[in-house]
Amino acid sequence: MSDWRAVVASPAWVDGVTAEHRIISARVEAVGVDSSHVGWVPIDAARISFDGTQTEQWQADLTFSDPDLVPYSPSAWLDGRSGVRLRIWWHLHTDGGILEVPVCTVVAEDPTGTDDGTLTGQVRGLDPLAIARRGGYGSRTISVGGMTVTDALTALFDALVPGWPISVTPTTVTLPPVYDLWDREPAEDWTEIAGMAGMVVRTDRDGTIVCAPPEPGTHVGDWTDGPTCPVVGYRWEQRTSSIPRRVVVVSTNPDVTPPIVGVWEHPDAASMQIITETRVESSTVTTQDAADSLARLTGQRWARRQVAVTATIPQRPDLDYRDTVSVVRPLSQLHGIFEVSGWD
């Protein structure tokens, strides 16, 4: 597994990645599910999208022109049945040598191409969780009631994608006595189960499915308006339509009769034109305290104006979800600290 965080925290990386002039390059590695090296893939270009707010964080579109990459058997690197994954590496050239970080590790699927005397091929790279979502429980009913969240998530992914690399943070939080996996879309199950212990499920840069509490970000840049600001341009969006007047949480657990309802009221709703009511249904809420807490947390999460900023900067694929940057842009009245949510 790569120790990419140590690389991007090094003074050489920080100096090099923020320098006015940089030399960069990239390469694509074919790896097994266990991250073992298979070979280097002659990809011509790749466009990678990262969105930390989504369960499937990673998406890639890769272009190739080497005829040897056209899949001809289930074992070919770009054949979705091969078990081979594509890991994209990004290089920063410094005086001390090349510093390399993995950008993402994706599953290649369904290549297409044109042949007009010159071969042009494309292949999508999917987040491994996109493949796990397709897995089902078959005719089985998997009982995870009473298990710890750790054991339940391990059992869930063992059923969906046996043999895939999984990392689940240990926890003593347990599921309700009756909890079966069989009739829902798997992503609903793993999201709900992980949420019981304050965890999220995401794929890391090495292609491991990670179930863990959200990690705090680090401060990675100062994008204050001025001659040294790396930002070419901004696009901003303000949203107040998501501010709720009231949040209502309703327990849908079949063992809770009558249903428990928790309510949070916006303290400033009377003084502003706020009329939106948000309703949350949860099968994991079984007590009044839990319903009230979920309503309060949801309300506080959306109680203020939301400001989203899209900035155009030189390539920075080392940016991670919830990393922070300082932004001061007097023309647009943008001032403060903003969290990274994704990049392309």
Side-chain angles (χ1 to χ4, degrees):
M1 305 297 285
S2 58
D3 189 14
W4 71 274
R5 292 185 186 277
V7 174
V8 301
S10 67
W13 179 275
V14 174
D15 290 343
V17 82
T18 57
E20 185 174 352
H21 300 285
R22 306 177 307 170
I23 299 176
I24 62 174
S25 58
R27 60 178 177 172
V28 179
E29 180 185 16
V31 298
V33 172
D34 61 356
S35 284
S36 59
H37 176 77
V38 176
W40 296 104
V41 188
I43 294 294
D44 297 331
R47 180 166 189 166
I48 300 158
S49 297
F50 168 72
D51 186 346
T53 66
Q54 301 298 313
T55 298
E56 299 171 25
Q57 296 183 119
W58 305 102
Q59 182 175 329
D61 293 290
L62 302 100
T63 304
F64 63 92
S65 57
D66 189 334
D68 289 339
L69 290 182
V70 177
Y72 53 85
S73 75
S75 61
W77 290 352
L78 299 189
D79 192 298
R81 299 166 293 179
S82 66
V84 172
R85 301 182 181 190
L86 303 182
R87 180 168 297 158
I88 295 93
W89 295 86
W90 195 78
H91 299 162
L92 177 65
H93 298 249
T94 69
D95 292 340
I98 296 176
L99 297 177
E100 181 179 57
V101 297
V103 180
C104 61
T105 303
V106 294
V107 179
E109 184 177 74
D110 296 343
T112 62
T114 58
D115 182 351
D116 57 2
T118 300
L119 174 67
T120 302
Q122 296 87 28
V123 64
R124 292 187 305 161
L126 301 181
D127 190 309
L129 278 173
I131 310 302
R133 286 181 107 151
R134 300 176 189 170
Y137 308 119
S139 60
R140 297 169 297 169
T141 298
I142 303 173
S143 179
V144 293
M147 286 186 179
T148 65
V149 167
T150 302
D151 291 342
L153 288 172
T154 301
L156 183 151
F157 285 109
D158 281 348
L160 297 178
V161 282
W164 284 30
I166 309 293
S167 174
V168 186
T169 298
T171 177
T172 58
V173 177
T174 59
L175 275 64
V178 177
Y179 199 110
D180 295 331
L181 308 175
W182 69 281
D183 65 334
R184 294 201 303 179
E185 202 264 328
E188 294 181 25
D189 285 326
W190 75 56
T191 300
E192 185 173 88
I193 293 172
M196 295 180 193
M199 299 184 191
V200 294
V201 178
R202 297 291 187 267
T203 303
D204 69 10
R205 292 171 180 249
D206 293 307
T208 300
I209 296 174
V210 177
C211 314
E215 293 187 355
T218 57
H219 195 70
V220 294
D222 183 354
W223 297 349
T224 300
D225 197 14
T228 62
C229 180
V231 181
V232 175
Y234 289 93
R235 180 172 58 84
W236 55 266
E237 173 188 354
Q238 292 191 24
R239 179 174 297 176
T240 57
S241 59
S242 56
I243 300 176
R245 170 174 57 99
R246 178 189 300 116
V247 176
V248 179
V249 171
V250 180
S251 172
T252 58
N253 190 301
D255 297 326
V256 177
T257 306
I260 293 173
V261 178
V263 178
W264 175 87
E265 299 278 356
H266 196 298
D268 298 324
S271 61
M272 295 185 288
Q273 185 66 18
I274 300 175
I275 61 174
T276 300
E277 180 173 290
T278 300
R279 183 182 177 91
V280 178
E281 296 183 352
S282 173
S283 62
T284 62
V285 169
T286 58
T287 67
Q288 188 64 56
D289 286 346
D292 293 341
S293 177
L294 181 56
R296 183 180 67 257
L297 291 173
T298 303
Q300 291 173 348
R301 165 67 179 84
W302 298 103
R304 297 183 298 174
R305 176 189 64 158
Q306 307 291 311
V307 180
V309 175
T310 302
T312 303
I313 64 170
Q315 284 185 11
R316 283 290 302 270
D318 59 313
L319 299 182
D320 209 21
Y321 180 49
R322 300 182 70 185
D323 283 348
T324 59
V325 292
S326 304
V327 175
V328 177
R329 191 76 170 182
L331 184 63
S332 297
Q333 298 191 44
L334 295 174
H335 304 269
I337 304 296
F338 287 77
E339 288 189 345
V340 174
S341 65
W343 44 259
D344 179 80

